[in-house]
Amino acid sequence: MLVLVARLEVWGSMDARGAVRFLVNRETTVRGMDGRPFDAVVENFSRTGFLFTADVDLPEGTLIWIGMSGAGAREARVVWREGQRHGCQFLMPLGQRDLQHAFRSRERMVEDLEARLRRASMLREGE
């Protein structure tokens, strides 16, 4: 008899739409379509969007570019605004790889890569 044991970890919470939202509270740079950058703090993100806070006045429908350390920059649209908080939708949802790497520090990415290389090395030694 073969028994499979699995462990599922979700580093976030489910929103009202059923999407997993990852809590990050990370500083980033956002650019309006005019190309001018401004500082923002991303509170959370999901495959389809994110919430950021910044001292800007971007009306609904505004197109922006957001930098996501570990996953490059993405184009998005502001879908709601409440004071300095802006809810945005990615124009193209994040793929699995970008979802895993978005808003991760360079140090954390290097640590993960080193751990994978160690595991691969240990597997080769055990062959």
Side-chain angles (χ1 to χ4, degrees), residues 35-47:
R36 283 186 272 179
F38 58 88
D39 295 328
V41 174
V42 175
E43 294 181 23
N44 64 59
F45 77 101
S46 72
R47 187 171 177 271

Side-chain angles (χ1 to χ4, degrees), residues 95-113:
Q96 187 64 32
R97 181 174 168 80
D98 288 336
L99 188 61
Q100 291 172 341
H101 294 288
F103 300 107
R104 295 179 67 196
S105 69
R106 183 172 297 157
E107 294 80 17
R108 178 67 191 265
M109 290 174 57
V110 169
E111 288 172 10
D112 289 349
L113 177 59

